Amino acid sequence: QVQLVESGGGLVQPGGSLRLSCAASGSISGIWAMGWYRLDPDQVRVLVAKINSDGETKYGDSVEGRFTISRESGKNTVNLQMNNLEPEDSDVYYCGADRFYLSRYSDYWGRGIQVNVSS
């Protein structure tokens, strides 16, 4: 099993910044990508940002140019730098990890962390 612990959420004014962090622990062998997601009205996870073990990144359209995902060297931790935040960014953000180990694919999720953008 993989445990994901999120931190860094909170309340910020429009135009402000927040930094989310997600630390993975447990059976981390085989983790090849980690990222952040939100839930749409149908409770389907929507990509915010993702980074794989090669350092390749992918962003959702609404955050491109404002958010930056990075991976701490030597650590199973990813950070999401959120700049120029908008009220529409308010949501619960979930950390996710993709793992491929012993020919088996699995994904893991954190509990979620609240981000509120309001004046």
Side-chain angles (χ1 to χ4, degrees), residues 37-52:
Y37 300 79
R38 298 166 62 173
L39 294 179
D40 72 8
D42 294 322
Q43 301 298 294
V44 175
R45 288 188 177 93
V46 177
L47 175 69
V48 176
K50 188 174 184 176
I51 186 167
N52 67 18

Side-chain angles (χ1 to χ4, degrees), residues 47-111:
L47 175 69
V48 176
K50 188 174 184 176
I51 186 167
N52 67 18
S53 56
D54 293 327
E56 297 169 331
T57 58
K58 185 174 182 180
Y59 295 92
D61 291 342
S62 65
V63 307
E64 187 84 54
R66 299 188 297 123
F67 292 9
T68 303
I69 191 168
S70 60
R71 196 161 187 167
E72 293 189 17
S73 178
K75 299 180 182 180
N76 290 291
T77 298
V78 293
N79 300 309
L80 183 67
Q81 180 65 40
M82 311 164 71
N83 296 331
N84 195 20
L85 282 159
E86 304 168 351
E88 293 75 21
D89 296 318
S90 298
D91 210 337
V92 177
Y93 286 71
Y94 295 89
C95 178
D98 298 319
R99 181 175 184 245
F100 190 76
Y101 186 69
L102 298 178
S103 301
R104 182 177 178 181
Y105 171 82
S106 53
D107 57 354
Y108 300 88
W109 299 95
R111 293 186 174 184

